[in-house]
């Protein structure tokens, strides 16, 4: 009997677990493929919980813990481990999603092993290698090394074309985060948080390297003032485990009566919190994509974004990390019903929930005849 072509999915962090789960499920449904899932260990427990929630189990795990080694060494060390894993697994094609150290290391290891690399969520660009750092550089490098580019939107495809990626190697699929969101949102109710009592809820997350230090302090100061100004409002912040975040947030917001600082939520609980929220303040990429699909206004705590589609639809705004600006923009949404309505009209510029199936179909086609790359979307 002929051996089935082996497809390797590499997953490093929480957002990769969420965004790769629909791809893994769609690949698994294709009987002609031998699917292998590998965790790099960049995020440990967070990834396990998410994958379990989607009924996905990893076949391999690298013993790689980023926190124990300097950030500058992480990509190189991980690429070394992945090179060994590729030699053992011998996949026909490798998929990884997004812009993390795990992704850039996977792209590099594939290039060295002469194994085709397929990039999921390809073509996002902020235009600055410094912000977000190091994600923008990771994306650019991954694009240069990829054989297949699954672009979530037409704007992402245009970025790739501008950089010289051949048209036939790009397919516009939608973002797989919308698949994950739709799979999850139906099953969860928007149960009130502990501090609810019918209050309006501001949901906040911050985790980016370029938010650490003074910008994070600015966000906390703004939230403290908003807490005092709007007594009918509560704040829920599931705090990212990065050690640069927790102590600062705890010190500046910990004692306030209507602020709930929790551990990171599992995905269904976080989706429930988004559904329950009045508005969302975040520096997260994935949350910027999910909030509009749930009809929640999102104020982006950054000066730039590689996800401009929601800005064009008027359902997201860039507010930076300056406390005065955050206070003004949040107050406007809490005080002005028309402004709130305009931003909560609901839009899903990032996908229709079928991205995973499109990617699996393209991969199936590719492994059967790799010389015939999938047609452009
Ligand atoms: N998320 C979650 N639990 C939380 C906070 C976020 O499941 O407590 C999800 C969120 O819905 C989104 C993803 O994690 O899908 C975003 O991850 P993160 O903000 O860490 O990374 P980014 O998207 O910025 O790369």
């Amino acid at each position: 009997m002929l051996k089935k072509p082996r497809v390797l999915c590499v997953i490093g962090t929480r957002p990769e677990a969420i965004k790769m789960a629909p791809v893994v499920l769609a690949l698994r449904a294709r009987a002609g493929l031998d699917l292998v899932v590998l965790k790099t260990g960049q995020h440990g427990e967070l990834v396990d919980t998410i994958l379990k929630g989607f009924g996905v189990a990893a076949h391999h795990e690298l013993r790689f813990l980023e926190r124990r080694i300097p950030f500058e060494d992480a990509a190189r060390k991980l690429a070394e481990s992945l090179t060994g894993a590729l030699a053992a697994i011998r996949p026909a094609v490798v998929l990884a999603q997004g812009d993390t150290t795990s992704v850039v290391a996977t792209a590099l290891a594939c290039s060295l092993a002469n194994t085709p690399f397929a990039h999921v969520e390809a073509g996002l660009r902020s235009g600055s290698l410094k912000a977000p750092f190091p994600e923008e550089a990771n994306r650019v490098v991954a694009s240069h090394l990829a054989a297949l580019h699954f672009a979530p939107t037409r704007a992402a495809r245009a970025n790739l074309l501008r950089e010289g990626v051949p048209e036939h190697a790009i397919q516009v699929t939608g973002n797989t985060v919308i698949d994950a969101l739709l799979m999850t949102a139906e099953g969860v109710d928007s149960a009130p948080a502990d501090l609810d009592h019918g209050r309006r809820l501001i949901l906040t997350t911050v985790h980016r390297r370029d938010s650490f230090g003074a910008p994070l302090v600015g966000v906390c100061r703004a939230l403290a003032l908003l807490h005092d100004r709007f007594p009918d409002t509560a704040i829920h912040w599931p705090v990212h485990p990065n050690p640069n975040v927790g102590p600062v947030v705890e010190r500046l917001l910990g004692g306030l009566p209507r602020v709930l600082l929790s551990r990171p939520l599992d995905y269904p609980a976080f989706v429930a919190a988004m559904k329950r929220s009045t508005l969302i303040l975040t520096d997260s990429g994935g949350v910027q994509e999910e909030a509009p699909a749930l009809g929640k206004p999102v104020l982006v705590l950054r000066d730039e974004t590689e996800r401009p589609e929601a800005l064009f639809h008027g359902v997201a705004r860039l507010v930076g990390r300056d406390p005065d600006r955050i206070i003004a923009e949040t107050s406007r949404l809490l005080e002005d019903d028309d402004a709130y309505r305009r931003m909560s009209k609901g839009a899903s510029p990032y996908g229709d929930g079928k991205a995973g199936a499109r990617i699996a179909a393209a991969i199936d086609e590719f492994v059967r005849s790799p010389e015939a790359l999938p047609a452009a979307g």
Side-chain angles (χ1 to χ4, degrees), residues 13-16 18-19 43 50 99-100 135 177 181 205 207-208 238-240 262-271 274 282-287 289-290 307:
T13 64
R14 171 175 68 187
E16 292 163 68
I18 293 168
K19 290 177 167 180
H43 283 174
I50 302 283
D99 55 23
T100 64
E135 289 88 346
V177 79
L181 180 68
T205 74
H207 75 93
R208 277 182 195 275
V239 182
H240 195 274
S262 72
R263 288 165 56 83
L265 303 178
D266 66 27
Y267 190 55
F270 190 74
V271 172
M274 286 194 285
T282 190
D283 68 354
S284 160
V287 178
E289 292 153 347
E290 293 163 330
R307 296 168 165 91

Side-chain angles (χ1 to χ4, degrees), residues 12 35 52 67 131 155 168 171 182 195 227 248 342 354 361 363 366 372:
L35 173 68
K52 205 164 154 224
R67 246 171 261 157
H168 65 277
Q171 186 170 357
L182 298 182
L195 42 63
H227 167 271
V248 179
R342 279 197 297 278
K354 299 184 179 128
I363 290 293
F366 176 75

Side-chain angles (χ1 to χ4, degrees), residues 64 73-84 101 104-106 108-109 112:
F64 163 85
D73 292 344
R76 181 174 53 78
K77 294 215 161 148
L78 185 49
E80 267 169 34
S81 302
L82 281 162
T83 300
T101 300
V104 76
T106 302
L108 191 58
L112 296 172

Side-chain angles (χ1 to χ4, degrees), residues 6-141:
R6 184 165 285 168
V7 177
L8 174 64
C9 291
V10 177
I11 296 173
T13 64
R14 171 175 68 187
E16 292 163 68
I18 293 168
K19 290 177 167 180
M20 280 301 281
V23 179
V24 169
L25 294 175
L27 288 167
R28 199 163 72 184
R30 292 190 163 256
L33 300 176
D34 174 17
L35 173 68
V36 178
V37 177
L38 179 148
K39 289 189 306 183
T40 69
Q42 189 177 341
H43 283 174
E45 225 179 279
L46 287 182
V47 164
D48 294 334
T49 317
I50 302 283
L51 291 182
K52 205 164 154 224
F54 284 98
V56 170
H59 305 87
H60 297 272
E61 175 163 15
L62 300 181
R63 264 189 292 242
F64 163 85
L65 287 176
E66 194 176 32
R67 246 171 261 157
R68 294 214 192 120
I69 55 177
F71 160 72
E72 309 77 57
D73 292 344
R76 181 174 53 78
K77 294 215 161 148
L78 185 49
E80 267 169 34
S81 302
L82 281 162
T83 300
L86 289 183
I89 299 169
R90 304 177 67 80
V93 61
V94 179
L95 287 85
Q97 180 280 335
D99 55 23
T100 64
T101 300
S102 292
V103 175
V104 76
T106 302
L108 191 58
C110 286
S111 167
L112 296 172
N114 199 20
T115 302
F117 169 63
H119 191 204
V120 177
E121 198 182 79
L124 271 57
R125 297 288 184 270
S126 71
S128 162
L129 291 176
K130 294 210 165 71
F133 175 83
E135 289 88 346
E136 180 81 352
N138 291 344
R139 291 178 194 130
V140 170
V141 173

